[in-house]
Amino acid sequence: MTYVDAFLLTLLVITAVSVAGMRNLFAAAVFFGIYSLLSAAWMTVLDSPDVAYTEAAVGAGISTVLMLATLGLTSDREKKDPILKPLPLFIVLATGMVLLYGTLDMPAFGDPMAPIHQHVAPHYLNDSPQEIGVPNIVTAVLASYRGYDTMGETTVVFTAAVGVLAMLIGRRQRPSEAS
Amino acid sequence: MTEDLILRVVTKVLTPFIMLFAFYTQFHGDYGPGGGFQAGVILAAAFVLNALTFGLPQVRKALPDRIMIIGTGLGVLLYAGTGMVSLFRGGNLLEYGVLDHHSPVHGQHLGILLVELGVGITVTSVMWVIISTFMERAVEDAEGGEG
């Protein structure tokens, strides 16, 4: 682990802990944006610019705006000061421990013998220049080899809009009906 | 909506660059990082920035709701349609190689360009529709509270 990794991960932990202690929701939304931006920086360090790009655009950009727009609808302060409940804290800590325990079995980062690098990845890396001819292999995998999955994802995004419209657009008629 | 002159000028200056960057992300996704999803989000961010600065009605003049709602489905249709065309041309669903009968690699390029465009259209429209619906409710609530 390099110093850059350690620095970014430390900042991530500090941001996460600060958000947990915040009562001002406006500040919390902005801190979530900072968290996403730090994640994006970290993913760039891990050589995955496509994921970093998405995280910066979606996590730091659009979802922060969406949270701020939602805060415009509600209030920017948490109503009730939360009380420390032992059972949820225990469940969260236990789950965290189990997840950490799970990572012990995972192969080291960048290990060429890891299962993920043994299955279809060699085929993509070796043959996509001839088969697809697109320099960015991530795009080749996303749009062509795994085109079916991406079609499903696009449909999911579409479904999200349909859901939001179905819930919120009916409200638009209500004031005129009342008047 | 803000009356702040600096914000209004900066938004006006930045908007074309944000949109240009979105299109670069969209069409350069084959060569560098990025693609339809990222491009759609960035393009929607340009619209949202304008809506925050100049108000929702101003942006709605340029982007009528009807068109954006059609856009949410149009992108999925373009994606699935590309898949269907490759089906009708004798390949499997979404097998872009058959789209160009001279060279499968050109077919792949065309297919990837089209489906990424589909993703871009859907994501732009969906992000705008969701956020503008939320913002509209906030404006309504504020007016309701005053009146």
Side-chain angles (χ1 to χ4, degrees):
Chain A
M1 191 145 117
T2 63
Y3 290 114
V4 180
D5 282 340
F7 177 68
L8 286 172
L9 287 176
T10 313
L11 282 180
L12 272 178
V13 171
I14 293 173
T15 316
V17 172
S18 333
V19 169
M22 260 171 204
R23 299 280 75 84
N24 188 334
L25 297 176
F26 185 81
V30 174
F31 262 67
F32 274 126
I34 296 174
Y35 187 90
S36 291
L37 206 59
L38 285 169
S39 310
W42 188 47
M43 281 155 187
T44 317
V45 175
L46 293 180
D47 289 336
S48 54
D50 278 275
V51 184
Y53 211 148
T54 316
E55 182 65 43
V58 178
I62 284 290
S63 46
T64 309
V65 171
L66 191 60
M67 271 198 260
L68 294 180
T70 315
L71 286 184
L73 293 177
T74 58
S75 149
D76 65 348
R77 285 206 66 84
E78 216 169 321
K79 281 224 175 82
K80 216 166 40 177
D81 279 341
I83 336 146
L84 196 66
K85 290 175 189 151
L87 185 64
L89 185 69
F90 171 75
I91 293 173
V92 166
L93 283 179
T95 316
M97 290 296 170
V98 169
L99 286 175
L100 277 180
Y101 177 71
T103 61
L104 295 180
D105 266 351
M106 280 174 73
F109 173 70
D111 181 6
M113 298 311 287
I116 189 84
H117 299 309
Q118 298 292 318
H119 185 44
V120 285
H123 167 73
Y124 293 157
L125 292 175
N126 291 326
D127 300 337
S128 86
Q130 288 82 45
E131 285 180 2
I132 316 285
V134 167
N136 184 1
I137 294 175
V138 176
T139 302
V141 172
L142 216 71
S144 189
Y145 288 119
R146 289 272 167 271
Y148 206 73
D149 295 349
T150 311
M151 187 165 83
E153 282 162 19
T154 316
T155 315
V156 168
V157 173
F158 167 67
T159 316
V162 172
V164 167
L165 286 178
M167 282 192 293
L168 295 185
I169 213 165
R171 223 185 100 106
R172 216 179 274 174
Q173 271 89 47
R174 222 180 285 164
S176 56
E177 280 170 19
S179 60
Chain B
M1 184 175 163
T2 173
E3 296 299 326
D4 191 325
L5 186 67
I6 295 175
L7 281 180
R8 291 175 83 95
V9 170
V10 167
T11 303
K12 264 192 183 161
V13 171
L14 274 183
T15 302
F17 291 104
I18 298 175
M19 291 173 91
L20 193 65
F21 187 62
F23 288 124
Y24 164 78
T25 308
Q26 171 81 54
F27 296 111
H28 204 258
D30 301 5
Y31 298 91
F37 193 78
Q38 293 92 331
V41 172
I42 294 171
L43 195 58
F47 302 154
V48 172
L49 178 67
N50 274 277
L52 288 173
T53 313
F54 300 108
L56 210 48
Q58 288 292 326
V59 183
R60 284 234 164 102
K61 273 185 200 161
L63 307 164
D65 272 354
R66 186 179 293 274
I67 289 179
M68 295 312 274
I69 290 173
I70 289 173
T72 60
L74 187 72
V76 180
L77 210 60
L78 181 59
Y79 200 128
T82 311
M84 291 307 282
V85 168
S86 56
L87 198 64
F88 286 129
R89 289 183 72 104
N92 292 320
L93 185 71
L94 296 167
E95 185 188 340
Y96 317 127
V98 294
L99 290 178
D100 188 315
H101 49 85
H102 296 298
S103 117
V105 171
H106 285 176
Q108 289 281 353
H109 282 204
L110 182 65
I112 289 176
L113 193 76
L114 287 174
V115 300
E116 290 279 4
L117 191 63
V119 175
I121 292 173
T122 289
V123 171
T124 310
S125 322
V126 168
M127 293 299 160
W128 170 250
V129 164
I130 290 178
I131 290 180
S132 66
T133 313
F134 270 74
M135 286 170 74
E136 183 185 46
R137 276 196 63 167
V139 171
E140 273 175 15
D141 282 3
E143 282 167 357
E146 283 161 16

